[in-house]
């Protein structure tokens, strides 16, 4: 069974540009969450999608957005990139449904460098 | 709101020695607690979790953790460290019944010395 797949794995952008990251969850998983990991702030929750609906959102500016498609694949977008957006962006999927135990399966991440 | 504090950003142990990584949580309602491990250039892998029931939880790779409500702790232990255990370990909490929003601790880098 394939795991969570994130593309691209590495990318370099310049300030002011925008970026789109993609995540394919484990087959059958309907929930996709995104986390930002930086040395200074650690792991921070961005948002979570279930059945194409955003169920929860972290404390990030509106430049950070996401969406989920009918096949559960998800994308996140960051517009007007800032140097501080340089981070490892991790996607995680879970079986979800309503309440649950919160077990997440993480991808290897997309490492974004903003110059 | 919930939060997690991991005591010690770096821990070094000798191969074969006891591993003890500390985690304390703060939550206004019964929490679900997790330990994840991250190897270099990889995502996070679940080691173990506590939801309800038995307070001593066994996970993969010989790790276990004990939920102590009176101490608001969920420390991770392994009787005998192996070189392959060198990695970063994250404790995380979510409110029981919440959506998939984990609050992570700042992480503990474990070094295993030969």
């Amino acid at each position: 069974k394939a795991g969570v797949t994130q593309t691209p794995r590495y990318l370099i952008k310049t300030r002011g540009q925008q970026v789109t990251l993609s995540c394919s969850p484990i087959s059958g998983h309907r929930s996709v969450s995104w986390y930002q990991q930086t040395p200074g702030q650690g792991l921070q929750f961005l948002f979570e999608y279930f059945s194409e609906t955003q169920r929860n959102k972290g404390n990030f500016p509106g430049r950070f957005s996401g969406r989920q498609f009918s096949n559960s694949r998800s994308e996140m977008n960051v517009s007007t990139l800032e140097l501080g957006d340089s981070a490892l962006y991790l996607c995680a999927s879970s079986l979800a449904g309503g309440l649950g135990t919160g077990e997440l399966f993480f991808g290897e991440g997309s490492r974004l460098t903003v110059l | 709101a919930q939060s997690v504090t991991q005591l010690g950003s770096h821990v070094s142990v000798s191969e074969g020695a006891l591993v003890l990584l500390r985690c304390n949580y703060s939550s206004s309602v019964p929490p679900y607690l997790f330990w994840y491990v991250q190897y270099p250039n990889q995502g996070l892998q679940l080691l173990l979790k506590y939801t309800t029931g038995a307070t001593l939880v066994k996970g993969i790779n010989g790790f276990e953790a004990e939920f102590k409500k009176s101490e608001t702790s969920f420390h991770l232990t392994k009787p005998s460290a192996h070189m392959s255990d060198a990695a970063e370990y994250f404790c995380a909490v979510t409110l029981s019944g919440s959506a998939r929003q984990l609050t992570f601790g700042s992480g503990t880098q474990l070094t295993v010395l030969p």
Side-chain angles (χ1 to χ4, degrees):
Chain A
K1 195 173 188 181
V4 178
T5 304
Q6 292 188 244
T7 55
R9 288 292 313 278
Y10 302 91
L11 66 167
I12 300 173
K13 295 285 187 178
T14 57
R15 281 180 297 174
Q17 289 186 310
Q18 73 165 8
V19 65
T20 299
L21 309 177
S22 179
C23 172
S24 294
I26 292 171
S27 178
H29 285 194
R30 297 169 62 193
S31 169
V32 173
S33 303
W34 289 89
Y35 289 80
Q36 182 197 63
Q37 185 177 24
T38 61
Q41 299 299 315
L43 281 153
Q44 294 185 286
F45 172 78
L46 279 158
F47 25 65
E48 188 241 351
Y49 287 87
F50 176 74
S51 292
E52 303 178 65
T53 300
Q54 187 182 89
R55 284 203 298 194
N56 210 354
K57 188 178 191 304
N59 188 25
F60 278 83
R63 300 185 298 107
F64 291 81
S65 62
R67 59 178 176 170
Q68 187 180 33
F69 302 96
S70 58
N71 62 357
S72 294
R73 191 178 69 84
S74 178
E75 290 181 346
M76 68 162 284
N77 183 276
V78 187
S79 62
T80 320
L81 285 166
E82 301 177 358
L83 295 178
D85 297 333
S86 294
L88 180 66
Y89 290 88
L90 292 165
C91 170
S93 74
S94 68
L95 284 170
L99 311 181
T101 60
E103 181 168 356
L104 301 179
F105 297 83
F106 283 83
E108 294 188 318
S110 293
R111 185 166 295 281
L112 170 65
T113 301
V114 182
L115 302 177
Chain B
Q2 68 272 25
S3 65
V4 173
T5 301
Q6 290 184 241
L7 298 175
S9 58
H10 291 84
V11 170
S12 294
V13 300
S14 298
E15 191 173 19
L18 171 72
V19 175
L20 170 60
L21 304 182
R22 300 179 186 273
C23 172
N24 287 89
Y25 70 91
S26 171
S27 176
S28 56
V29 297
Y32 289 174
L33 294 159
F34 308 82
W35 276 99
Y36 282 85
V37 60
Q38 185 177 35
Y39 298 99
N41 298 315
Q42 293 188 23
L44 280 72
Q45 180 183 11
L46 180 67
L47 280 176
L48 48 80
K49 64 182 179 183
Y50 168 79
T51 54
T52 58
T55 56
L56 181 61
V57 180
K58 295 186 184 298
I60 61 172
N61 301 340
F63 284 95
E64 63 181 37
E66 186 171 9
F67 172 62
K68 292 187 176 181
K69 184 178 179 180
S70 61
E71 300 177 9
T72 61
S73 69
F74 191 58
H75 301 331
L76 181 71
T77 61
K78 182 174 180 178
S80 177
H82 191 272
M83 297 296 289
S84 62
D85 294 327
E88 189 154 23
Y89 293 79
F90 293 92
C91 183
V93 63
T94 189
L95 298 180
S96 57
S98 75
R100 305 292 176 271
Q101 179 176 353
L102 294 180
T103 299
F104 285 89
S106 55
T108 297
Q109 182 68 48
L110 176 65
T111 300
V112 182
L113 305 171

